[in-house]
């Protein structure tokens, strides 16, 4: 598939089309037309907030609100950094050729100023959290900056993405519990392999373009054994989630509700098809519901008998 084939997931219709023309490129640069990335950044944070036991409900709600705002802002910042690094590559890939920096709708100076504003907002959110969370949040910026480079040097950029997008799990846990633990570590590992799986599915859309321009990806590496690889990632996710729940001492209701995300994950593994870009995009987006199902299980685990 060439960049001229028109395949893209950029949405310029709907409320984006009603924005003033000068603001539309910034909304597209921040991926506000595609909120799925914000959800997939936000949901691990919810998991981390819900996992530790004994946290007052009002504090959990406060943290979830802060993480929601922070996820929107920091996902936008990450997209800006990604597009600054990848603008030359994006011009050669059908799905990304219309991005504002790749298409010339915005210049680098515009992106730098926009990034500074987003980071300032993110900092104001971070300062509402405890000291440990502030340290963790600041350290995550290194992952945000380095992730776009991964595809240039390794076949596993989706794994690096997992470490980056999954960082909300330990951050949420630290914000709620005030410390780190083995339960938090297991939850973070579960988040990483989950995101490795679904981002590999997402990357199946770009394999032809990636091969043509020499971009490495887990999707290209595992396309011939997609079901086995995605199934392994998702199975590890479930095992690690169970380990995190046991270590945290969650309530018994967690276990029956966990069957819902297990079913949804199994359905993705059975249906995955690297040769069907539309299906891959739909399966990627369906991970929002999987993330909510995990959050529901953790919420059920807070119910005491």
């Amino acid at each position: 598939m060439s960049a001229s084939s028109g395949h893209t997931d950029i949405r310029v219709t709907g409320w984006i089309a009603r924005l003033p023309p000068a603001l539309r490129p910034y909304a597209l640069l921040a991926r506000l037309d595609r909120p799925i990335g914000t959800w997939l950044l936000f949901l691990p944070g919810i998991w981390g907030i819900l996992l530790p036991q004994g946290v007052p409900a009002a504090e959990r709600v406060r943290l979830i609100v802060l993480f929601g705002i922070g996820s929107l802002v920091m996902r936008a910042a990450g997209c800006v950094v990604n597009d600054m690094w990848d603008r030359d590559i994006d011009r050669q890939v059908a799905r990304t050729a219309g991005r504002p920096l790749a298409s010339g709708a915005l210049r680098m100076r515009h992106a730098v100023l926009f990034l500074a504003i987003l980071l300032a907002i993110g900092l104001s959110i971070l300062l509402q959290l405890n000291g440990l969370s502030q340290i963790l949040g600041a350290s995550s910026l290194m992952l945000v900056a380095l992730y776009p480079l991964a595809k240039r040097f390794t076949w596993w950029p989706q794994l690096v993405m997992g470490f980056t997008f999954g960082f909300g799990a330990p951050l949420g846990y630290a914000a709620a519990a005030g410390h780190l633990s083995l339960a938090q570590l297991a939850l973070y590992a579960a988040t990483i392999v989950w995101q490795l799986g679904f981002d590999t599915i997402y990357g199946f859309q770009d394999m032809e373009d990636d091969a043509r321009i020499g971009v490495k990806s887990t999707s290209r590496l595992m396309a011939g054994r997609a079901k086995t690889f995605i199934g392994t990632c998702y199975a590890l996710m479930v095992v690690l989630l169970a380990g995190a729940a046991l270590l945290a001492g969650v309530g018994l209701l967690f276990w029956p509700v966990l069957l819902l995300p297990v079913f949804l994950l199994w359905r993705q593994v059975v249906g995955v098809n690297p040769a069907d870009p539309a299906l891959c995009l739909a399966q990627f987006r369906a991970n929002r519901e999987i993330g909510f199902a995990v959050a529901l299980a953790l919420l059920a685990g807070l119910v005491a008998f």
Side-chain angles (χ1 to χ4, degrees):
M1 180 181 295
S2 66
S4 62
S5 68
H7 171 68
T8 180
D9 55 0
I10 297 172
R11 297 180 177 179
V12 295
T13 57
W15 71 273
I16 294 290
R18 293 192 288 272
L19 290 174
L23 294 182
R24 286 176 205 158
Y26 292 98
L28 294 175
L29 183 61
R31 309 286 199 276
L32 297 184
D33 58 318
R34 285 161 289 163
I36 182 61
T38 300
W39 284 114
L40 295 177
L41 182 64
F42 178 39
L43 285 163
I46 295 180
W47 299 356
I49 293 167
L50 294 177
L51 181 62
Q53 307 300 290
V55 179
E59 177 62 5
R60 291 192 204 267
V61 172
R62 184 185 78 89
L63 290 174
I64 288 172
V65 171
L66 288 175
F67 270 63
I69 300 169
S71 295
L72 177 65
V73 170
M74 294 311 297
R75 188 263 182 143
C79 290
V80 175
V81 172
N82 181 82
D83 288 9
M84 290 169 70
W85 278 111
D86 284 357
R87 62 192 185 280
D88 293 330
I89 292 176
D90 285 345
R91 294 187 186 103
Q92 305 176 63
V93 177
R95 185 176 58 81
T96 59
R99 288 177 176 175
L101 289 176
S103 67
L106 291 176
R107 302 295 182 186
M108 282 291 285
R109 65 179 182 273
H110 302 133
V112 170
L113 178 59
F114 188 40
L115 178 61
I117 293 171
L118 292 170
L119 291 177
I121 298 172
L123 177 61
S124 69
I125 298 296
L126 190 61
L127 292 176
Q128 307 303 310
L129 306 180
N130 58 38
L132 176 59
S133 302
Q134 292 173 14
I135 294 171
L136 289 175
S139 66
S140 71
L141 293 177
M142 184 178 299
L143 290 171
V144 174
L146 293 179
Y147 163 61
L149 292 176
K151 68 186 72 174
R152 293 165 170 82
F153 300 105
T154 175
W155 284 96
W156 295 86
Q158 281 78 13
L159 180 59
V160 180
M161 195 285 294
F163 278 93
T164 306
F165 259 58
F167 204 82
L171 186 59
Y173 187 95
H179 63 269
L180 299 178
S181 69
L182 288 176
Q184 160 269 315
L185 183 60
L187 183 68
Y188 187 25
T191 305
I192 290 168
V193 292
W194 175 52
Q195 303 215 6
L196 171 60
F198 72 60
D199 201 48
T200 298
I201 294 175
Y202 186 70
F204 287 145
Q205 300 175 90
D206 298 333
M207 287 191 297
E208 188 175 335
D209 283 332
D210 286 349
R212 176 173 53 82
I213 62 180
V215 169
K216 300 176 180 178
S217 74
T218 314
S219 308
R220 287 182 59 201
L221 189 65
M222 297 297 175
R225 44 189 182 274
K227 290 185 188 295
T228 300
F229 181 72
I230 302 302
T232 300
C233 288
Y234 287 172
L236 283 173
M237 174 202 178
V238 173
V239 170
L240 289 163
L241 277 175
L246 287 170
L247 289 166
V250 302
L252 292 177
L253 281 180
F254 168 84
W255 302 103
V257 181
L258 183 64
L259 294 176
L260 174 59
V262 169
F263 169 73
L264 296 174
L265 290 164
W266 171 81
R267 191 170 63 175
Q268 281 211 350
V269 173
V270 171
V272 68
N273 180 5
D276 188 340
L279 174 64
C280 291
L281 181 59
Q283 286 192 319
F284 168 75
R285 288 174 174 164
N287 276 275
R288 179 183 63 177
E289 284 66 43
I290 292 172
F292 273 117
V294 172
L296 182 62
L298 289 168
L299 185 63
L302 293 175
V303 177
F305 290 98

mmCIF file of all heavy atoms in Angstrom, residues 234-270:
data_model
loop_
_atom_site.group_PDB
_atom_site.id
_atom_site.type_symbol
_atom_site.label_atom_id
_atom_site.label_comp_id
_atom_site.label_asym_id
_atom_site.label_seq_id
_atom_site.Cartn_x
_atom_site.Cartn_y
_atom_site.Cartn_z
ATOM 1 N N TYR A 234 -1.790 -11.818 25.410
ATOM 2 C CA TYR A 234 -3.019 -11.677 26.183
ATOM 3 C C TYR A 234 -3.099 -12.697 27.321
ATOM 4 O O TYR A 234 -3.633 -12.398 28.404
ATOM 5 C CB TYR A 234 -4.228 -11.796 25.268
ATOM 6 C CG TYR A 234 -4.461 -10.588 24.376
ATOM 7 C CD1 TYR A 234 -5.426 -10.610 23.375
ATOM 8 C CD2 TYR A 234 -3.714 -9.419 24.523
ATOM 9 C CE1 TYR A 234 -5.653 -9.508 22.565
ATOM 10 C CE2 TYR A 234 -3.927 -8.316 23.722
ATOM 11 C CZ TYR A 234 -4.908 -8.365 22.736
ATOM 12 O OH TYR A 234 -5.137 -7.271 21.927
ATOM 13 N N ALA A 235 -2.571 -13.902 27.095
ATOM 14 C CA ALA A 235 -2.559 -14.892 28.181
ATOM 15 C C ALA A 235 -1.661 -14.426 29.314
ATOM 16 O O ALA A 235 -2.017 -14.547 30.503
ATOM 17 C CB ALA A 235 -2.091 -16.244 27.638
ATOM 18 N N LEU A 236 -0.495 -13.890 28.966
ATOM 19 C CA LEU A 236 0.409 -13.350 29.990
ATOM 20 C C LEU A 236 -0.257 -12.200 30.737
ATOM 21 O O LEU A 236 -0.100 -12.065 31.957
ATOM 22 C CB LEU A 236 1.710 -12.881 29.352
ATOM 23 C CG LEU A 236 2.709 -13.959 28.959
ATOM 24 C CD1 LEU A 236 3.872 -13.340 28.173
ATOM 25 C CD2 LEU A 236 3.247 -14.681 30.196
ATOM 26 N N MET A 237 -1.003 -11.392 30.018
ATOM 27 C CA MET A 237 -1.705 -10.289 30.667
ATOM 28 C C MET A 237 -2.645 -10.809 31.755
ATOM 29 O O MET A 237 -2.664 -10.294 32.885
ATOM 30 C CB MET A 237 -2.499 -9.498 29.627
ATOM 31 C CG MET A 237 -3.391 -8.401 30.217
ATOM 32 S SD MET A 237 -4.712 -7.966 29.095
ATOM 33 C CE MET A 237 -5.611 -6.742 30.057
ATOM 34 N N VAL A 238 -3.433 -11.823 31.423
ATOM 35 C CA VAL A 238 -4.401 -12.370 32.384
ATOM 36 C C VAL A 238 -3.678 -12.974 33.585
ATOM 37 O O VAL A 238 -4.077 -12.754 34.740
ATOM 38 C CB VAL A 238 -5.292 -13.414 31.701
ATOM 39 C CG1 VAL A 238 -6.178 -14.123 32.731
ATOM 40 C CG2 VAL A 238 -6.155 -12.767 30.622
ATOM 41 N N VAL A 239 -2.604 -13.723 33.348
ATOM 42 C CA VAL A 239 -1.840 -14.329 34.443
ATOM 43 C C VAL A 239 -1.270 -13.248 35.364
ATOM 44 O O VAL A 239 -1.347 -13.351 36.599
ATOM 45 C CB VAL A 239 -0.722 -15.231 33.900
ATOM 46 C CG1 VAL A 239 0.221 -15.672 35.012
ATOM 47 C CG2 VAL A 239 -1.307 -16.446 33.197
ATOM 48 N N LEU A 240 -0.724 -12.204 34.771
ATOM 49 C CA LEU A 240 -0.126 -11.129 35.567
ATOM 50 C C LEU A 240 -1.189 -10.326 36.305
ATOM 51 O O LEU A 240 -0.977 -9.894 37.442
ATOM 52 C CB LEU A 240 0.707 -10.219 34.664
ATOM 53 C CG LEU A 240 2.009 -10.849 34.159
ATOM 54 C CD1 LEU A 240 2.554 -10.080 32.970
ATOM 55 C CD2 LEU A 240 3.043 -10.885 35.283
ATOM 56 N N LEU A 241 -2.351 -10.118 35.684
ATOM 57 C CA LEU A 241 -3.457 -9.457 36.390
ATOM 58 C C LEU A 241 -3.890 -10.272 37.599
ATOM 59 O O LEU A 241 -4.137 -9.715 38.681
ATOM 60 C CB LEU A 241 -4.644 -9.273 35.446
ATOM 61 C CG LEU A 241 -4.648 -8.073 34.514
ATOM 62 C CD1 LEU A 241 -5.847 -8.143 33.576
ATOM 63 C CD2 LEU A 241 -4.669 -6.767 35.300
ATOM 64 N N ALA A 242 -3.974 -11.587 37.407
ATOM 65 C CA ALA A 242 -4.348 -12.458 38.523
ATOM 66 C C ALA A 242 -3.303 -12.373 39.630
ATOM 67 O O ALA A 242 -3.642 -12.320 40.828
ATOM 68 C CB ALA A 242 -4.497 -13.898 38.036
ATOM 69 N N GLY A 243 -2.024 -12.348 39.253
ATOM 70 C CA GLY A 243 -0.960 -12.217 40.246
ATOM 71 C C GLY A 243 -1.039 -10.907 41.000
ATOM 72 O O GLY A 243 -0.871 -10.871 42.236
ATOM 73 N N ALA A 244 -1.319 -9.815 40.267
ATOM 74 C CA ALA A 244 -1.452 -8.512 40.919
ATOM 75 C C ALA A 244 -2.613 -8.519 41.908
ATOM 76 O O ALA A 244 -2.511 -7.976 43.024
ATOM 77 C CB ALA A 244 -1.652 -7.422 39.865
ATOM 78 N N ALA A 245 -3.723 -9.138 41.516
ATOM 79 C CA ALA A 245 -4.892 -9.194 42.395
ATOM 80 C C ALA A 245 -4.608 -10.000 43.657
ATOM 81 O O ALA A 245 -4.997 -9.606 44.765
ATOM 82 C CB ALA A 245 -6.073 -9.801 41.637
ATOM 83 N N LEU A 246 -3.928 -11.125 43.492
ATOM 84 C CA LEU A 246 -3.585 -11.944 44.659
ATOM 85 C C LEU A 246 -2.655 -11.192 45.604
ATOM 86 O O LEU A 246 -2.839 -11.208 46.826
ATOM 87 C CB LEU A 246 -2.943 -13.250 44.206
ATOM 88 C CG LEU A 246 -3.872 -14.282 43.565
ATOM 89 C CD1 LEU A 246 -3.062 -15.416 42.952
ATOM 90 C CD2 LEU A 246 -4.868 -14.821 44.580
ATOM 91 N N LEU A 247 -1.640 -10.531 45.048
ATOM 92 C CA LEU A 247 -0.682 -9.798 45.869
ATOM 93 C C LEU A 247 -1.330 -8.618 46.580
ATOM 94 O O LEU A 247 -0.941 -8.269 47.707
ATOM 95 C CB LEU A 247 0.485 -9.314 45.003
ATOM 96 C CG LEU A 247 1.441 -10.406 44.507
ATOM 97 C CD1 LEU A 247 2.339 -9.864 43.390
ATOM 98 C CD2 LEU A 247 2.300 -10.933 45.657
ATOM 99 N N ALA A 248 -2.334 -8.007 45.931
ATOM 100 C CA ALA A 248 -3.000 -6.847 46.533
ATOM 101 C C ALA A 248 -4.112 -7.251 47.482
ATOM 102 O O ALA A 248 -4.624 -6.403 48.222
ATOM 103 C CB ALA A 248 -3.555 -5.950 45.430
ATOM 104 N N GLY A 249 -4.516 -8.509 47.454
ATOM 105 C CA GLY A 249 -5.590 -8.966 48.335
ATOM 106 C C GLY A 249 -6.952 -8.452 47.956
ATOM 107 O O GLY A 249 -7.740 -8.067 48.833
ATOM 108 N N VAL A 250 -7.260 -8.444 46.649
ATOM 109 C CA VAL A 250 -8.562 -7.925 46.221
ATOM 110 C C VAL A 250 -9.676 -8.872 46.659
ATOM 111 O O VAL A 250 -9.437 -10.044 46.976
ATOM 112 C CB VAL A 250 -8.606 -7.734 44.689
ATOM 113 C CG1 VAL A 250 -7.509 -6.804 44.221
ATOM 114 C CG2 VAL A 250 -8.534 -9.070 43.959
ATOM 115 N N GLY A 251 -10.922 -8.375 46.653
ATOM 116 C CA GLY A 251 -12.063 -9.169 47.090
ATOM 117 C C GLY A 251 -12.441 -10.261 46.101
ATOM 118 O O GLY A 251 -12.030 -10.244 44.930
ATOM 119 N N LEU A 252 -13.263 -11.182 46.555
ATOM 120 C CA LEU A 252 -13.612 -12.366 45.763
ATOM 121 C C LEU A 252 -14.390 -12.044 44.495
ATOM 122 O O LEU A 252 -14.317 -12.794 43.501
ATOM 123 C CB LEU A 252 -14.430 -13.334 46.626
ATOM 124 C CG LEU A 252 -13.677 -14.009 47.783
ATOM 125 C CD1 LEU A 252 -14.632 -14.872 48.589
ATOM 126 C CD2 LEU A 252 -12.515 -14.847 47.249
ATOM 127 N N LEU A 253 -15.133 -10.939 44.472
ATOM 128 C CA LEU A 253 -15.922 -10.612 43.287
ATOM 129 C C LEU A 253 -15.046 -10.283 42.074
ATOM 130 O O LEU A 253 -15.535 -10.303 40.940
ATOM 131 C CB LEU A 253 -16.857 -9.430 43.580
ATOM 132 C CG LEU A 253 -18.132 -9.750 44.356
ATOM 133 C CD1 LEU A 253 -18.956 -8.488 44.574
ATOM 134 C CD2 LEU A 253 -18.966 -10.787 43.611
ATOM 135 N N PHE A 254 -13.792 -9.983 42.312
ATOM 136 C CA PHE A 254 -12.876 -9.710 41.195
ATOM 137 C C PHE A 254 -12.840 -10.877 40.222
ATOM 138 O O PHE A 254 -12.843 -10.681 38.997
ATOM 139 C CB PHE A 254 -11.466 -9.428 41.732
ATOM 140 C CG PHE A 254 -10.397 -9.411 40.666
ATOM 141 C CD1 PHE A 254 -10.168 -8.262 39.922
ATOM 142 C CD2 PHE A 254 -9.615 -10.537 40.418
ATOM 143 C CE1 PHE A 254 -9.186 -8.236 38.943
ATOM 144 C CE2 PHE A 254 -8.623 -10.522 39.443
ATOM 145 C CZ PHE A 254 -8.412 -9.364 38.703
ATOM 146 N N TRP A 255 -12.807 -12.099 40.744
ATOM 147 C CA TRP A 255 -12.536 -13.275 39.919
ATOM 148 C C TRP A 255 -13.634 -13.591 38.920
ATOM 149 O O TRP A 255 -13.338 -13.820 37.728
ATOM 150 C CB TRP A 255 -12.210 -14.462 40.819
ATOM 151 C CG TRP A 255 -11.023 -14.146 41.690
ATOM 152 C CD1 TRP A 255 -11.042 -13.812 43.013
ATOM 153 C CD2 TRP A 255 -9.660 -14.074 41.276
ATOM 154 N NE1 TRP A 255 -9.766 -13.534 43.459
ATOM 155 C CE2 TRP A 255 -8.899 -13.694 42.415
ATOM 156 C CE3 TRP A 255 -8.993 -14.278 40.071
ATOM 157 C CZ2 TRP A 255 -7.516 -13.534 42.376
ATOM 158 C CZ3 TRP A 255 -7.625 -14.118 40.017
ATOM 159 C CH2 TRP A 255 -6.902 -13.752 41.161
ATOM 160 N N PRO A 256 -14.917 -13.626 39.298
ATOM 161 C CA PRO A 256 -15.929 -13.877 38.263
ATOM 162 C C PRO A 256 -16.022 -12.754 37.233
ATOM 163 O O PRO A 256 -16.241 -13.013 36.042
ATOM 164 C CB PRO A 256 -17.237 -14.029 39.050
ATOM 165 C CG PRO A 256 -16.971 -13.388 40.374
ATOM 166 C CD PRO A 256 -15.524 -13.578 40.649
ATOM 167 N N VAL A 257 -15.839 -11.504 37.663
ATOM 168 C CA VAL A 257 -15.925 -10.388 36.725
ATOM 169 C C VAL A 257 -14.729 -10.400 35.762
ATOM 170 O O VAL A 257 -14.841 -9.960 34.609
ATOM 171 C CB VAL A 257 -16.015 -9.042 37.477
ATOM 172 C CG1 VAL A 257 -16.138 -7.875 36.496
ATOM 173 C CG2 VAL A 257 -17.215 -9.049 38.423
ATOM 174 N N LEU A 258 -13.588 -10.931 36.205
ATOM 175 C CA LEU A 258 -12.417 -11.036 35.336
ATOM 176 C C LEU A 258 -12.710 -11.884 34.098
ATOM 177 O O LEU A 258 -12.042 -11.734 33.059
ATOM 178 C CB LEU A 258 -11.238 -11.620 36.111
ATOM 179 C CG LEU A 258 -9.900 -11.739 35.358
ATOM 180 C CD1 LEU A 258 -9.374 -10.359 34.971
ATOM 181 C CD2 LEU A 258 -8.872 -12.495 36.200
ATOM 182 N N LEU A 259 -13.689 -12.757 34.171
ATOM 183 C CA LEU A 259 -14.028 -13.602 33.021
ATOM 184 C C LEU A 259 -14.490 -12.776 31.820
ATOM 185 O O LEU A 259 -14.342 -13.210 30.671
ATOM 186 C CB LEU A 259 -15.109 -14.606 33.404
ATOM 187 C CG LEU A 259 -14.711 -15.664 34.439
ATOM 188 C CD1 LEU A 259 -15.911 -16.530 34.798
ATOM 189 C CD2 LEU A 259 -13.557 -16.514 33.929
ATOM 190 N N LEU A 260 -15.035 -11.584 32.059
ATOM 191 C CA LEU A 260 -15.487 -10.734 30.948
ATOM 192 C C LEU A 260 -14.310 -10.273 30.090
ATOM 193 O O LEU A 260 -14.333 -10.495 28.862
ATOM 194 C CB LEU A 260 -16.288 -9.552 31.485
ATOM 195 C CG LEU A 260 -16.707 -8.510 30.435
ATOM 196 C CD1 LEU A 260 -17.553 -9.157 29.339
ATOM 197 C CD2 LEU A 260 -17.462 -7.354 31.109
ATOM 198 N N PRO A 261 -13.258 -9.620 30.659
ATOM 199 C CA PRO A 261 -12.128 -9.270 29.792
ATOM 200 C C PRO A 261 -11.423 -10.487 29.208
ATOM 201 O O PRO A 261 -10.904 -10.416 28.091
ATOM 202 C CB PRO A 261 -11.207 -8.465 30.718
ATOM 203 C CG PRO A 261 -11.618 -8.808 32.102
ATOM 204 C CD PRO A 261 -13.086 -9.079 32.021
ATOM 205 N N VAL A 262 -11.404 -11.605 29.925
ATOM 206 C CA VAL A 262 -10.798 -12.819 29.374
ATOM 207 C C VAL A 262 -11.523 -13.239 28.099
ATOM 208 O O VAL A 262 -10.901 -13.565 27.076
ATOM 209 C CB VAL A 262 -10.819 -13.960 30.410
ATOM 210 C CG1 VAL A 262 -10.453 -15.288 29.749
ATOM 211 C CG2 VAL A 262 -9.849 -13.660 31.544
ATOM 212 N N PHE A 263 -12.853 -13.203 28.122
ATOM 213 C CA PHE A 263 -13.630 -13.548 26.936
ATOM 214 C C PHE A 263 -13.352 -12.583 25.786
ATOM 215 O O PHE A 263 -13.177 -12.997 24.628
ATOM 216 C CB PHE A 263 -15.121 -13.550 27.262
ATOM 217 C CG PHE A 263 -16.004 -13.628 26.047
ATOM 218 C CD1 PHE A 263 -16.125 -14.812 25.343
ATOM 219 C CD2 PHE A 263 -16.690 -12.499 25.612
ATOM 220 C CE1 PHE A 263 -16.929 -14.880 24.199
ATOM 221 C CE2 PHE A 263 -17.484 -12.556 24.472
ATOM 222 C CZ PHE A 263 -17.610 -13.751 23.768
ATOM 223 N N LEU A 264 -13.314 -11.281 26.087
ATOM 224 C CA LEU A 264 -13.076 -10.276 25.043
ATOM 225 C C LEU A 264 -11.683 -10.431 24.431
ATOM 226 O O LEU A 264 -11.507 -10.267 23.216
ATOM 227 C CB LEU A 264 -13.253 -8.873 25.624
ATOM 228 C CG LEU A 264 -14.667 -8.526 26.110
ATOM 229 C CD1 LEU A 264 -14.679 -7.161 26.789
ATOM 230 C CD2 LEU A 264 -15.663 -8.561 24.950
ATOM 231 N N LEU A 265 -10.700 -10.747 25.261
ATOM 232 C CA LEU A 265 -9.346 -10.978 24.759
ATOM 233 C C LEU A 265 -9.305 -12.223 23.874
ATOM 234 O O LEU A 265 -8.681 -12.218 22.801
ATOM 235 C CB LEU A 265 -8.379 -11.124 25.935
ATOM 236 C CG LEU A 265 -8.101 -9.859 26.744
ATOM 237 C CD1 LEU A 265 -7.468 -10.219 28.089
ATOM 238 C CD2 LEU A 265 -7.198 -8.898 25.981
ATOM 239 N N TRP A 266 -9.945 -13.289 24.325
ATOM 240 C CA TRP A 266 -9.987 -14.526 23.548
ATOM 241 C C TRP A 266 -10.624 -14.289 22.181
ATOM 242 O O TRP A 266 -10.145 -14.790 21.158
ATOM 243 C CB TRP A 266 -10.768 -15.582 24.324
ATOM 244 C CG TRP A 266 -11.052 -16.823 23.513
ATOM 245 C CD1 TRP A 266 -10.222 -17.873 23.268
ATOM 246 C CD2 TRP A 266 -12.284 -17.120 22.828
ATOM 247 N NE1 TRP A 266 -10.844 -18.817 22.483
ATOM 248 C CE2 TRP A 266 -12.119 -18.372 22.194
ATOM 249 C CE3 TRP A 266 -13.507 -16.444 22.704
ATOM 250 C CZ2 TRP A 266 -13.124 -18.959 21.439
ATOM 251 C CZ3 TRP A 266 -14.509 -17.033 21.945
ATOM 252 C CH2 TRP A 266 -14.311 -18.273 21.329
ATOM 253 N N ARG A 267 -11.685 -13.493 22.156
ATOM 254 C CA ARG A 267 -12.369 -13.215 20.891
ATOM 255 C C ARG A 267 -11.456 -12.468 19.917
ATOM 256 O O ARG A 267 -11.492 -12.716 18.712
ATOM 257 C CB ARG A 267 -13.649 -12.405 21.163
ATOM 258 C CG ARG A 267 -14.560 -12.282 19.953
ATOM 259 C CD ARG A 267 -15.901 -11.692 20.319
ATOM 260 N NE ARG A 267 -15.793 -10.333 20.830
ATOM 261 C CZ ARG A 267 -16.840 -9.568 21.121
ATOM 262 N NH1 ARG A 267 -18.074 -10.059 20.995
ATOM 263 N NH2 ARG A 267 -16.682 -8.340 21.581
ATOM 264 N N GLN A 268 -10.619 -11.577 20.442
ATOM 265 C CA GLN A 268 -9.673 -10.884 19.560
ATOM 266 C C GLN A 268 -8.646 -11.850 18.982
ATOM 267 O O GLN A 268 -8.316 -11.787 17.801
ATOM 268 C CB GLN A 268 -8.952 -9.770 20.323
ATOM 269 C CG GLN A 268 -9.761 -8.521 20.504
ATOM 270 C CD GLN A 268 -8.904 -7.252 20.534
ATOM 271 O OE1 GLN A 268 -7.684 -7.305 20.596
ATOM 272 N NE2 GLN A 268 -9.555 -6.117 20.455
ATOM 273 N N VAL A 269 -8.134 -12.731 19.803
ATOM 274 C CA VAL A 269 -7.123 -13.683 19.338
ATOM 275 C C VAL A 269 -7.694 -14.559 18.231
ATOM 276 O O VAL A 269 -7.046 -14.784 17.199
ATOM 277 C CB VAL A 269 -6.622 -14.555 20.509
ATOM 278 C CG1 VAL A 269 -5.703 -15.661 19.997
ATOM 279 C CG2 VAL A 269 -5.887 -13.693 21.534
ATOM 280 N N VAL A 270 -8.898 -15.050 18.418
ATOM 281 C CA VAL A 270 -9.527 -15.924 17.428
ATOM 282 C C VAL A 270 -9.730 -15.201 16.095
ATOM 283 O O VAL A 270 -9.552 -15.784 15.018
ATOM 284 C CB VAL A 270 -10.876 -16.453 17.963
ATOM 285 C CG1 VAL A 270 -11.654 -17.187 16.868
ATOM 286 C CG2 VAL A 270 -10.640 -17.386 19.144
#
